[in-house]
Amino acid sequence: TTLTSTVGYLSQSIMSLVSIAGCFLAPLLRSHLGYKTLILVSAALHAALYGGMILLNQFAIIMGAAVTGIGMGIIWVVVPNFVTAMSKQEHIERNLTYHMFIYNFNGLLGNLLNYLCLDE
């Protein structure tokens, strides 16, 4: 299978667009599933893009990006709410800072490893 040179841009755009739907779905799903179950489900959805990358199939990458986008949107809304709900009042700000550090460091580390390992 051949991947077009724009598949990365297209999948990133679709992932970002669909994540908006995930943001709006999160409160409804949280009321039915609860925080912990929804976080696990959204984490699984968040990983869908890797299936397409493993298959090296353009359609699978784009569909994986859409599913990942839903998971991303849910995580962005639910995890900070969960951290806030589970923290003592005096620790909320600190705990949210830890959460955002870990979340952003993950992206930094992943991109850095891709650059170092996959750069041609």
Side-chain angles (χ1 to χ4, degrees):
T1 279
T2 332
L3 300 177
T4 64
S5 62
T6 59
V7 70
Y9 301 115
L10 182 61
S11 64
Q12 183 66 38
S13 299
I14 289 170
M15 188 170 23
S16 297
L17 181 65
V18 174
S19 70
I20 296 168
C23 289
F24 285 107
L25 285 172
L28 174 68
L29 293 173
R30 189 212 41 86
S31 65
H32 291 292
L33 299 175
Y35 282 119
K36 292 178 185 178
T37 302
L38 187 55
I39 289 170
L40 288 173
V41 168
S42 61
L45 293 174
H46 203 285
L49 180 58
Y50 299 111
M53 290 180 184
I54 290 168
L55 295 173
L56 286 177
N57 179 290
Q58 188 159 324
F59 180 75
I61 289 173
I62 291 171
M63 295 311 301
V67 173
T68 294
I70 292 171
M72 284 173 49
I74 293 169
I75 282 179
W76 288 340
V77 173
V78 173
V79 172
N81 287 332
F82 177 72
V83 170
T84 301
M86 297 295 125
S87 298
K88 292 181 181 179
Q89 183 65 33
E90 63 269 15
H91 297 263
I92 290 174
E93 191 173 295
R94 180 199 67 192
N95 292 345
L96 286 172
T97 301
Y98 291 155
H99 160 67
M100 290 310 299
F101 171 79
I102 292 167
Y103 192 78
N104 288 306
F105 185 76
N106 177 36
L108 172 70
L109 185 61
N111 286 314
L112 183 62
L113 288 173
N114 283 336
Y115 174 75
L116 295 174
C117 297
L118 301 176
D119 191 34
E120 295 178 14

